[in-house]
Amino acid sequence: MSDASQTTADPEADEPTETADETESAPVTDGSTAIVRALENAGVEHAFGVQGGAIMPVYDALWDSDIEHVTMAHEQGASHAADAYGIVAGEPGIALATSGPGATNLVTGIADANMDSDAMVALTGQVPSDMVGSDAFQETDTTGVTMPITKHNWFANSADTIGDTVGNAFALADSGRPGPTLVDLPKDVSFEETDVEPGEPELPAGSEPPTTADSENVAAAARAIERAEKPLLLLGGGVIKAEATETARAFARDHGIPVVTTMPGIGTFPEDDELSLSWAGMHGTGYANMAITHTDCLIGVGTRFDDRLTGGIDTFAPEAEVVHVDIDPAEISKNIHADYPCIGDAGAVLDQLTDEIDHEPDAREWREQCQTWKQEFPMDYPVDKNAPLRPEFIVEAFDEATADDTVVTTGVGQHQMWASQYWTFTEPRTWVSSHGLGTMGYGLPAAVGARFAADDDQDVVCFDGDGSFLMTIQELSVAVRENLDITVAVLNNEYVGMVRQWQDAFFEGRHMASEYNWMPEFDKLAEAFGACGWRVDNYDEVARAIEEALAYEGPSVIDFHIDPEADVYPMVASGAPNGKFALTEDQL
């Protein structure tokens, strides 16, 4: 973003002059230029969207801005790309779309960001104000449609205030418990003349989140931790969003407390650390679920205790006193009763607990028990070089071939579980997936957004299933156009694999609408888009294909034809106790 205030002295001139690489920002003359100025004031560098009639004035204003706009192939792709950009960059992603179908195509991505508390700002065009409610061409009540799935949304009604409204939306999306916000922009307001300069992004009045927790509650929680014999730290995605990973790691290590994460919390704690038990829940590790089942003090930080984590509510952590740290009061005791509620910022409250705890819990035997569970329930799988490819082998091969800071995106399904189970995550903001909403098709557009947010020397790898990849494959054209260095690994079993697994387990093997043996040849389709493609059918080809795809400077797709009968285990049946996980189908 250019800054006209930065100048350098010219010894031969009375007035300072701009540096050669500085350009003066275009003046605010109407609503659309005020919108763009507000984005510039917020430090926005990238935006993702699709042009259209009602949003056209805003796009025209972007012409003179240093903000890089990335045209996506579909508005859903724009919302997923913006979501992923925000996850990796640690600041709200921006998605733009026109009115009517453009706005409704954003809805899936907005709902996804809302479920996962991801910061995102959606800017949608709207028909002129005097036509609202007339069923005009491409009119939809966008604020009404998105009210349940945004932290807040606004209908802009004045060019004089429109810039500050966009600034409010940006600030609110990133504050407290993050989430999506939306500003609906009637075309006449975007065109309306104004010279009002928007200020820096500010939170709407009364929306400031809490920081530190009540001191009495913190003291009571500290006493519970001190007397615990089997303490367990459960780290959720809120730890990453609060930039509290280092604080959480220090807390665990200083007090010798084993750590499990939620699936959104992957990356909060290094999975190669001795205290790590990886992630818990429906397809979490057996040892993580055993630890939750037997802990006597569960310290949940930045987690909403969703059903995929808890299994049956009545049987979740049945022996534990629960300390719940969360910035959102609505999450306290919503699903799991909190004996010690601590409402505040994750990092700030962990600091409070550290200051309050006088001595470490005596947990040596507990740590030994957790290590025993690791040995008893290892994450392993059979490999027969004469049998079809195991997906777990492919994930581990990619992990070995890439650096620790590689960003991994996924779609939703079996491939998502294998990626999260068999990749060893050590860094925050490197796991980018759809959790609460479970959106198939998320992986590829997320890889596009992640690529723009990641450092140049970071790899971006997308694991996708054949069904999930097909849903948003058009975004491969964006990756080719932008020459994005991303690698897509399609774990192709010619099924909607998770559905097929459930049909085998609970519907007597009736594969109704789950067989996908009509899939295209993804390696050839990738080449048709202009990407580089490989097909891999056996173990001998895996290492070479991965090496070549990672070395290729542009988008590449490897179509791995895997064992169609490979299933995801461990598995906790829906509503069952975490400690009753199945390792094979006959245990369900």
Side-chain angles (χ1 to χ4, degrees):
M1 183 180 71
S2 61
D3 184 352
S5 66
Q6 294 184 8
T7 58
T8 185
D10 181 347
E12 308 218 351
D14 293 331
E15 298 294 331
T17 60
E18 293 179 343
T19 55
D21 59 350
E22 292 280 339
T23 57
E24 186 174 354
S25 297
V28 171
T29 58
D30 53 23
S32 59
T33 52
I35 292 165
V36 172
R37 180 59 50 78
L39 295 177
E40 292 172 341
N41 289 347
V44 171
E45 296 180 356
H46 296 90
F48 304 86
V50 178
Q51 171 71 285
I55 196 70
M56 198 175 296
V58 179
Y59 271 84
D60 189 60
L62 282 169
W63 178 267
D64 292 318
S65 174
D66 287 340
I67 295 173
E68 182 178 359
H69 177 267
V70 182
T71 298
M72 301 297 289
H74 190 281
E75 289 91 352
Q76 181 183 342
S79 57
H80 291 328
D83 180 345
Y85 181 93
I87 293 170
V88 177
E91 60 188 37
I94 309 296
L96 295 93
T98 195
S99 62
T104 58
N105 282 343
L106 289 179
V107 166
T108 296
I110 295 171
D112 192 292
N114 185 62
M115 287 286 280
D116 288 349
S117 302
D118 295 336
M120 182 175 75
V121 179
L123 302 177
T124 54
Q126 185 55 275
V127 300
S129 302
D130 61 357
M131 299 180 70
V132 170
S134 69
D135 293 332
F137 177 67
Q138 293 192 330
E139 180 191 356
T140 297
D141 179 8
T142 302
T143 56
V145 168
T146 60
M147 186 177 294
I149 55 172
T150 53
K151 286 184 74 173
H152 191 69
N153 63 28
W154 293 260
F155 183 89
N157 55 24
S158 169
D160 288 344
T161 60
I162 198 169
D164 285 333
T165 298
V166 170
N168 289 160
F170 189 93
L172 184 63
D174 203 28
S175 71
R177 178 181 181 172
T181 58
L182 180 144
V183 185
D184 204 28
L185 307 168
K187 194 170 184 178
D188 59 312
V189 178
S190 295
F191 272 133
E192 183 182 334
E193 291 184 1
T194 184
D195 59 1
V196 176
E197 286 276 351
E200 298 297 314
E202 291 185 359
L203 285 174
S207 60
E208 294 81 2
T211 301
T212 56
D214 178 82
S215 58
E216 292 185 4
N217 289 2
V218 171
R223 301 293 83 78
I225 295 169
E226 288 172 346
R227 64 176 173 262
E229 296 179 356
K230 297 180 287 184
L232 187 65
L233 190 60
L234 172 65
L235 301 179
V239 175
I240 296 173
K241 298 177 193 309
E243 302 291 352
T245 54
E246 292 305 319
T247 303
R249 293 176 182 195
F251 185 88
R253 290 163 177 160
D254 290 348
H255 302 297
I257 301 176
V259 178
V260 299
T261 74
T262 66
M263 198 172 172
I266 288 173
T268 55
F269 198 79
E271 293 180 336
D272 56 1
D273 190 289
E274 190 175 58
L275 289 172
S276 173
L277 301 174
S278 191
W279 59 277
M282 179 173 283
H283 290 293
T285 65
Y287 35 92
N289 284 320
M290 289 296 285
I292 282 180
T293 301
H294 294 284
T295 179
D296 63 359
C297 182
L298 182 64
I299 310 155
V301 185
T303 174
R304 60 188 179 88
F305 291 108
D306 75 292
D307 60 302
R308 283 298 179 102
L309 167 69
T310 62
I313 293 292
D314 294 338
T315 57
F316 180 76
E319 303 173 15
E321 292 187 294
V322 176
V323 177
H324 191 182
V325 179
D326 204 281
I327 201 164
D328 186 355
E331 293 300 337
I332 301 297
S333 296
K334 184 180 79 174
N335 295 327
I336 298 297
H337 174 72
D339 299 290
Y340 306 99
C342 297
I343 301 169
D345 174 82
V349 177
L350 286 174
D351 284 338
Q352 286 181 278
L353 285 169
T354 296
D355 292 342
E356 183 66 37
I357 292 173
D358 292 328
H359 60 83
E360 297 175 6
D362 184 8
R364 181 179 58 82
E365 292 184 5
W366 171 242
R367 290 191 293 271
E368 291 175 354
Q369 175 62 73
C370 290
Q371 293 301 315
T372 299
W373 283 325
K374 278 188 178 183
Q375 297 168 11
E376 188 174 351
F377 305 109
M379 294 297 293
D380 55 16
Y381 54 93
V383 174
D384 179 354
K385 293 298 181 70
N386 296 316
L389 282 169
R390 292 293 304 195
E392 306 95 329
F393 179 89
I394 295 165
V395 173
E396 289 189 333
F398 261 103
D399 190 14
E400 292 173 5
T402 54
D404 287 346
D405 65 351
T406 296
V407 177
V408 176
T409 77
T410 76
V412 168
Q414 287 180 313
H415 66 275
Q416 176 191 29
M417 299 300 132
W418 289 317
S420 55
Q421 290 176 329
Y422 290 93
W423 191 287
T424 302
F425 290 90
T426 62
E427 301 297 330
R429 302 193 183 281
T430 57
W431 167 249
V432 182
S433 193
S434 170
H435 303 105
L437 196 64
T439 306
M440 289 179 66
Y442 180 87
L444 179 56
V448 171
R451 178 70 275 170
F452 279 98
D455 292 337
D456 290 342
D457 59 354
Q458 281 183 280
D459 285 319
V460 175
V461 175
C462 170
F463 287 101
D464 228 335
D466 44 310
S468 193
F469 187 48
L470 193 65
M471 286 189 172
T472 52
I473 196 171
Q474 69 275 0
E475 304 306 337
L476 193 57
S477 64
V478 178
V480 170
R481 186 195 70 223
E482 300 291 335
N483 194 33
L484 301 181
D485 191 8
I486 61 176
T487 303
V488 181
V490 182
L491 303 183
N492 187 347
N493 55 12
E494 296 189 346
Y495 280 102
V496 185
M498 193 63 80
V499 172
R500 192 270 305 156
Q501 181 172 337
W502 279 57
Q503 288 172 329
D504 286 345
F506 306 116
F507 294 88
E508 300 179 349
R510 294 185 292 273
H511 294 165
M512 176 62 188
S514 62
E515 295 180 347
Y516 272 39
N517 54 8
W518 41 270
M519 286 291 98
E521 297 180 69
F522 288 119
D523 56 323
K524 293 181 179 178
L525 194 54
E527 292 174 356
F529 273 104
C532 210
W534 291 261
R535 174 178 171 136
V536 174
D537 294 281
N538 59 67
Y539 287 96
D540 293 339
E541 300 170 337
V542 170
R544 177 188 57 80
I546 290 174
E547 180 182 3
E548 291 179 358
L550 291 172
Y552 180 69
E553 295 183 0
S556 55
V557 176
I558 310 177
D559 188 9
F560 291 101
H561 284 249
I562 64 170
D563 184 350
E565 297 183 359
D567 284 336
V568 179
Y569 290 103
M571 178 177 176
V572 179
S574 183
N578 286 68
K580 298 295 184 180
F581 52 87
L583 299 176
T584 59
E585 183 180 316
D586 58 10
Q587 294 177 355
L588 288 169

